[in-house]
Amino acid sequence: MMKTRGCCASICQCFFEYSTPKILVIRSFKVGTLNRITQALVIAYVIGYVCVLNKGYQETDAVLSSVTTKVKGIALTNTSDLGLQIWDVADYVIPPQEESSFFVLTNLLITLNQTQSHCPEVPKTGFDCTSDRDCKVGSHDTRGNGVQTGKCVYSTVDKTCEVLAWCPLELDKEPPNPPMLADAENFTVLIKNSIRYPKFNFNKRNILPYVNKTYLEQCVFNRITDPDCPIFRLKDMVTEANEDFQTMAVHGGVMGVQIRWECDLDMPSSWCVPRYTFRRLDNKDPVNNVAPGYNFRFAKYYKNGNNEETRTLIKGFGIRFDVMVFGQAGKFNIVPTLLNVGAGLALLGLVTVVCDWIVLTCMTKRNIYNEQKYSYVDDFQLLSNETP
């Protein structure tokens, strides 16, 4: 019974305790130096990193963006299949408009005068035969070029199944090297980028206010002489990504055009300008080089003299440029300022905790400090001190 009462008394005593900080001045060179150094580090962190570098006094907003492009340039080719031919933007930009990207044709394999007729399948695994029994009427495969007719006929070398397809069939071979449209390196592209920070009602575009029509007609982007020109030469973009345009143009590839808007809206709006960087996005690993580059097929259809539908099949290789816009804007706001200042003051409070721990564990006179730092006063002592 006595134990129960004693336990209840201890619990009540702990519950009705009140702790108040006690100021104890320690005159020690070591502890004082450690205290000031720790305080200086905290203040340097709050002012230097949080406020200056990280701009903790600002409210931020993410960028909203739209991108349009316009490619210009002329290329001349002279081949046995096509003869002398001029290529303009309507020929090599496919499709004419994409969302935040554009494709430029740099190389091609051409199969002329295809008509829907019967011809032997291209010799490959799964399509060779020795007799008609090896070919199934109506059978087709995603790796093939047409629908089998049930006949086994001679191809260029071996016997293969006859198919109903666009004949003559396309031959699987390497693209020309050097690329057919080698002049594409001198093509230029105008990239128009408009951005908005809705939280601050701030709008801007990469054609800056001082850029007039005369300047825009003659400028080409250069980091030293024309860093604000929105017209880019294709070779220069690929070169900045540490790539060779002519090598990349053979099989094609994917390039990234990165536009970064970092805007401090506490400063003049003229300081908010885009920064351009370029890098290659597709894999060019020399070891894992299966299916390299970027290519697709398209066809041009027409009627011949017999009113028969004919087409020219083109396997096009080229470079796709993806335009990616990043950015953040910041402007002074009292709320984040107070939050970060409050966090800094809280960190200063930890300095005392750190120094107390060091004194209690490392100092030779820590017992004396402990006696002076912590003391207990109950109601009876307070009442006796108040009695005259």
Side-chain angles (χ1 to χ4, degrees):
M1 189 71 177
M2 295 297 294
K3 290 183 178 180
T4 304
R5 290 181 179 178
C7 182
C8 292
S10 299
I11 293 174
C12 292
Q13 186 178 6
C14 292
F15 181 78
F16 292 105
E17 281 184 352
Y18 166 68
S19 300
T20 181
K22 182 178 181 180
I23 298 176
L24 181 64
V25 179
I26 301 177
R27 302 185 185 279
S28 169
F29 176 79
K30 294 180 179 179
V31 177
T33 302
L34 177 64
N35 179 50
R36 298 307 179 196
I37 291 176
T38 309
Q39 287 177 340
L41 290 175
V42 171
I43 293 172
Y45 166 77
V46 173
I47 296 177
Y49 176 76
V50 176
C51 293
V52 177
L53 290 180
N54 208 33
K55 297 181 179 178
Y57 56 89
Q58 290 185 334
E59 182 183 18
T60 60
D61 192 16
V63 68
L64 298 179
S65 170
S66 67
V67 175
T68 58
T69 61
K70 183 184 294 184
V71 182
K72 288 187 177 181
I74 298 293
L76 177 66
T77 60
N78 191 0
T79 64
S80 57
D81 292 332
L82 300 176
L84 195 65
Q85 182 168 339
I86 290 288
W87 297 76
D88 62 13
V89 66
D91 298 314
Y92 57 73
V93 176
I94 307 165
Q97 284 294 321
E98 290 187 80
E99 183 179 354
S100 298
S101 66
F102 61 96
F103 173 84
V104 176
L105 188 69
T106 57
N107 208 1
L108 55 156
L109 292 171
I110 302 174
T111 306
L112 296 171
N113 301 323
Q114 284 188 320
T115 58
Q116 292 196 21
S117 55
H118 298 88
C119 54
E121 182 61 274
V122 175
K124 61 177 72 172
T125 304
F127 298 102
D128 52 338
C129 61
T130 56
S131 65
D132 292 347
R133 289 178 298 179
D134 299 324
C135 302
K136 299 180 180 179
V137 178
S139 176
H140 57 87
D141 192 283
T142 56
R143 296 170 297 172
N145 293 283
V147 179
Q148 294 184 15
T149 63
K151 296 181 179 179
C152 182
V153 297
Y154 274 102
S155 180
T156 53
V157 179
D158 303 318
K159 272 190 170 185
T160 60
C161 294
E162 185 184 65
V163 292
L164 172 63
W166 286 96
C167 303
L169 300 179
E170 178 190 46
L171 299 178
D172 187 13
K173 58 183 180 180
E174 282 292 307
N177 191 3
M180 286 183 61
L181 296 177
D183 291 342
E185 66 180 16
N186 294 315
F187 296 169
T188 61
V189 57
L190 168 63
I191 299 178
K192 294 190 287 185
N193 175 214
S194 298
I195 59 128
R196 174 175 172 81
Y197 292 106
K199 187 179 292 185
F200 307 121
N201 195 28
F202 180 83
N203 302 276
K204 200 162 187 179
R205 62 178 187 155
N206 66 330
I207 302 178
L208 302 179
Y210 76 87
V211 174
N212 54 37
K213 185 177 180 180
T214 303
Y215 173 77
L216 201 61
E217 288 176 348
Q218 61 185 12
C219 77
V220 175
F221 176 83
N222 183 286
R223 291 208 178 273
I224 299 174
T225 60
D226 293 284
D228 297 328
C229 180
I231 299 177
F232 303 86
R233 186 167 168 256
L234 300 191
K235 181 180 179 180
D236 294 340
M237 291 194 288
V238 175
T239 301
E240 284 218 13
N242 298 317
E243 301 288 341
D244 179 69
F245 186 92
Q246 295 299 325
T247 302
M248 189 176 182
V250 175
H251 289 95
V254 182
M255 285 288 301
V257 181
Q258 297 174 322
I259 308 177
R260 184 168 294 276
W261 295 83
E262 297 294 341
C263 299
D264 185 350
L265 300 184
D266 293 324
M267 299 298 177
S269 60
S270 59
W271 291 21
C272 179
V273 294
R275 297 286 181 262
Y276 303 97
T277 55
F278 311 93
R279 60 176 300 178
R280 184 168 183 173
L281 301 180
D282 64 311
N283 183 24
K284 60 164 189 173
D285 187 352
V287 177
N288 183 17
N289 59 357
V290 178
Y294 182 76
N295 65 79
F296 59 90
R297 291 172 175 83
F298 62 98
K300 295 183 177 181
Y301 296 86
Y302 54 93
K303 298 279 189 178
N304 59 18
N306 298 324
N307 201 31
E308 183 181 23
E309 187 177 35
T310 309
R311 77 175 189 183
T312 296
L313 178 65
I314 300 173
K315 183 179 182 181
F317 302 81
I319 304 175
R320 193 182 77 193
F321 293 83
D322 292 336
V323 184
M324 298 164 286
V325 182
F326 307 91
Q328 180 175 276
K331 194 173 184 179
F332 174 78
N333 188 287
I334 191 63
V335 174
T337 303
L338 293 177
L339 288 175
N340 285 293
V341 170
L345 294 175
L347 287 176
L348 281 176
L350 290 177
V351 175
T352 303
V353 177
V354 173
C355 290
D356 283 348
W357 178 81
I358 292 175
V359 170
L360 289 171
T361 55
C362 301
M363 298 294 290
T364 55
K365 298 181 180 180
R366 55 182 177 271
N367 292 331
I368 298 175
Y369 174 80
N370 190 31
E371 293 175 359
Q372 296 294 327
K373 179 68 176 176
Y374 301 101
S375 59
Y376 298 91
V377 179
D378 56 29
D379 288 344
F380 296 102
Q381 289 177 314
L382 291 174
L383 291 173
S384 62
N385 291 334
E386 293 176 356
T387 303

